Amino acid sequence: MPHNILAKGPNRWTKRFSHIWRKFIPEEQQHSFVRGGWFMVEVIPDRLAVFSLNTLYFFDNNAAVDGCAKKSEAGYEQMEWLRVQLQLLRERGMKAILMGHVPPARTESKQSWDETCWQKYTLWVQQYRDVVSAALYGHMNIDHFMLQDNKKVDIKIASGELKPQQKIKKQSSADYLAELRMGWSELPNDVPKIVDDENDFGVQKHKKRDKLYKKIGGKWGERYSVSLVTASVVPNYFPTMRLFEYNITGLHSPSSFAPNALKPSNPKEEKHHKKKSKFKLPFPPSKSSPPEPAYSPQPLTLLGYTQYYANLTHFNSLPSSNPKLEYEIEYSTFSDPVFGLKELTVRSYLKLAGQIGKFKALRETETKFGHECSDQSGKVERSEPEDSNELSQRHKDNSEDDEKRRKEGRKHEKQKRINKIWYTFVQRAYVGAKGKKELKKDFN
């Protein structure tokens, strides 16, 4: 099989993999797998399904296919399958975890998926945010996360009515991570505060709080969705594994999972929409429905993860007689004071992204306040003795200068804490395999 090239199925490769993985693919999913290598499994019957997406059909580098807008394309068929399955899960009151190899990376100069596929995926996840509880990917070999912004969805591109602009691609992972940070710098300035605690604004400032909520799609940040990307098992840097934990409270309680079959709120508008365009736009959850696991802590919300890695540098230094590769904990979100993720909700990642976006390189600062005018000998010039009023004013000026220095010091320390989050994000992206000098060179 050519690297990263897969034509529309059924073909010999989908049939071959169907045979190899037949023990993992449910019997009723065999047909869809042979058609294109995608399938789903109810890991908790009537509660949670996990989707395995064949992202090669979305992958921009796969020259054998052409996006998700044309009905003749495998990407289109898979997106339709995904839409139908998510609707069926909604009607059954179930949740879903989406998994795939290539993530929907999209920055100014790097894009992993064909734009029509990214548009449809972001739209599907937004409209079925009451169903999708998490999205997990790999491929890029670096540990990070990405936000999908629903404001960037263009229905005309998703439907194929409008052709997307081609992007110039950069191959450097450092460039890509820096572009993520620059993108997050455009998040509303108050995002870290917005998602911390609604009481931070005080009772008298609810209007201001609500105005800020609108910028992120409401209290729960429903304008966005999150994709988590883990580093690889193969040793591009160090081999890694990630163990997730999720909330299991009330999983056996029928009341915690109510069916949510939604109908058009205005049938006339729906008929008009059908006449105007054949594009099937899924309905969003009801405005009156509560936030779902991806946005608010509840059953099936991802609580956190523990990241393991194998230190190959240490392994290669062991005696060659009988070396044993062992995995150890790199970090855990449950005890990590730097990222401070209470849980893996969109709100938590919005806060983290907002903090990273506030990164600012610090330089050695010179004293800005309290300077006196001196002659070349260094002696302070005094034209005449100071009276009591001058001394009082001088004391006041010095006090103001001291307060300015204290404020500058607090701002400096706050910026250092913010910068530490970015430095940690970059270091973890490479699983600690890159030293400080190399990271400094890569990120200026």
Side-chain angles (χ1 to χ4, degrees):
M1 179 178 176
H3 183 60
N4 288 334
I5 301 296
L6 181 65
K8 182 179 180 180
N11 55 51
R12 61 178 178 139
W13 297 113
T14 59
K15 293 175 182 178
R16 177 61 176 161
F17 285 121
S18 175
H19 176 74
I20 295 173
W21 295 335
R22 62 188 181 280
K23 292 183 180 179
F24 304 101
I25 305 169
E27 185 63 33
E28 65 274 13
Q29 297 287 320
Q30 288 286 344
H31 176 72
S32 64
F33 187 90
V34 171
R35 284 197 61 80
W38 55 77
F39 70 103
M40 58 168 281
V41 179
E42 288 193 27
V43 293
I44 305 179
D46 299 319
R47 293 291 183 263
L48 177 66
V50 175
F51 286 71
S52 177
L53 302 176
N54 181 2
T55 53
L56 272 179
Y57 288 147
F58 307 150
F59 195 31
D60 205 32
N61 288 355
N62 183 2
V65 294
D66 187 22
C68 299
K70 300 175 184 176
K71 289 186 177 182
S72 59
E73 291 296 328
Y76 177 95
E77 185 177 344
Q78 182 173 192
M79 281 294 181
E80 283 300 289
W81 171 82
L82 177 61
R83 179 185 63 80
V84 171
Q85 296 304 318
L86 291 176
Q87 179 62 33
L88 291 173
L89 293 184
R90 169 185 277 173
E91 293 169 3
R92 294 174 60 192
M94 291 181 62
K95 309 303 174 188
I97 294 176
L98 306 183
M99 297 177 67
H101 180 66
V102 182
R106 185 179 186 267
T107 63
E108 186 65 26
S109 59
K110 183 178 180 63
Q111 185 153 339
S112 296
W113 288 13
D114 180 272
E115 179 67 8
T116 59
C117 299
W118 186 92
Q119 292 282 340
K120 273 191 176 180
Y121 172 82
T122 304
L123 181 59
W124 274 204
V125 174
Q126 170 69 14
Q127 300 299 86
Y128 288 107
R129 60 188 181 274
D130 56 323
V131 179
V132 179
S133 62
L136 314 175
Y137 295 93
H139 175 70
M140 300 182 74
N141 303 316
I142 50 177
D143 175 1
H144 68 294
F145 68 95
M146 58 190 68
L147 299 173
Q148 286 80 51
D149 184 356
N150 184 55
K151 292 289 185 181
K152 295 181 179 179
V153 170
D154 188 326
I155 299 295
K156 289 185 177 181
I157 294 178
S159 63
E161 294 179 31
L162 184 66
K163 287 188 177 181
Q165 293 181 346
Q166 295 296 320
K167 292 190 177 184
I168 300 173
K169 299 178 183 178
K170 291 182 181 179
Q171 299 300 321
S172 167
S173 59
D175 289 335
Y176 165 70
L177 292 174
E179 283 192 345
L180 277 181
R181 189 193 75 210
M182 290 300 294
W184 295 338
S185 69
E186 297 174 3
L187 289 169
N189 288 331
D190 292 298
V191 156
K193 186 176 181 180
I194 295 171
V195 302
D196 246 346
D197 189 342
E198 62 179 324
N199 295 320
D200 285 351
F201 293 91
V203 178
Q204 302 301 323
K205 298 183 179 181
H206 280 238
K207 289 185 178 180
K208 179 182 177 182
R209 181 200 65 194
D210 293 341
K211 186 177 180 180
L212 293 173
Y213 279 160
K214 288 182 180 179
K215 294 181 179 180
I216 62 171
K219 178 179 178 180
W220 307 104
E222 291 177 289
R223 167 180 166 178
Y224 299 90
S225 58
V226 174
S227 295
L228 305 183
V229 185
T230 187
S232 59
V233 175
V234 295
N236 289 69
Y237 302 108
F238 287 143
T240 68
M241 289 190 295
R242 179 173 291 184
L243 181 63
F244 285 96
E245 296 183 32
Y246 58 88
N247 191 332
I248 61 172
T249 305
L251 284 185
H252 299 291
S253 172
S255 60
S256 63
F257 291 87
N260 189 21
L262 297 179
K263 296 182 179 180
S265 56
N266 190 332
K268 292 183 180 179
E269 289 183 6
E270 173 63 7
K271 288 181 181 178
H272 176 72
H273 177 72
K274 285 183 177 180
K275 290 180 181 179
K276 187 176 180 180
S277 173
K278 294 181 180 180
F279 182 69
K280 295 180 180 179
L281 179 63
F283 290 99
S286 170
K287 291 183 179 180
S288 61
S289 63
E292 298 296 337
Y295 296 90
S296 173
Q298 58 189 277
L300 297 179
T301 295
L302 293 184
L303 298 174
Y305 61 81
T306 302
Q307 186 75 16
Y308 295 87
Y309 80 110
N311 190 328
L312 294 183
T313 304
H314 173 70
F315 174 76
N316 291 330
S317 68
L318 296 175
S320 58
S321 57
N322 189 24
K324 185 179 180 181
L325 185 65
E326 294 183 346
Y327 280 79
E328 54 188 293
I329 295 176
E330 181 192 3
Y331 69 95
S332 172
T333 62
F334 297 103
S335 58
D336 172 31
V338 183
F339 284 0
L341 294 168
K342 296 179 180 179
E343 66 281 314
L344 307 186
T345 58
V346 171
R347 278 168 58 102
S348 293
Y349 277 105
L350 270 176
K351 177 184 177 182
L352 179 57
Q355 290 173 323
I356 292 174
K358 290 180 179 293
F359 168 84
K360 182 180 180 182
L362 293 175
R363 300 177 181 176
E364 292 185 8
T365 56
E366 297 179 358
T367 305
K368 296 181 180 179
F369 308 103
H371 286 265
E372 290 182 297
C373 181
S374 304
D375 62 15
Q376 291 182 356
S377 66
K379 294 180 180 180
V380 179
E381 295 180 351
R382 301 292 185 210
S383 57
E384 57 183 57
E386 296 178 301
D387 58 22
S388 59
N389 290 333
E390 288 177 331
L391 287 172
S392 176
Q393 182 62 41
R394 185 175 178 79
H395 177 73
K396 181 180 179 182
D397 291 343
N398 288 339
S399 297
E400 290 177 354
D401 290 343
D402 289 342
E403 180 60 26
K404 287 180 180 178
R405 279 193 292 269
R406 283 193 290 270
K407 286 183 178 179
E408 286 293 312
R410 288 193 292 269
K411 284 178 64 177
H412 185 84
E413 290 302 314
K414 182 180 179 181
Q415 190 62 53
K416 282 175 66 176
R417 290 193 296 271
I418 290 172
N419 288 2
K420 184 178 180 180
I421 297 174
W422 164 245
Y423 296 141
T424 303
F425 176 76
V426 168
Q427 189 177 34
R428 288 176 178 173
Y430 298 105
V431 203
K434 288 191 175 187
K436 290 184 179 179
K437 289 184 178 179
E438 191 174 1
L439 290 175
K440 187 175 182 180
K441 179 182 178 181
D442 289 346
F443 294 93
N444 245 350

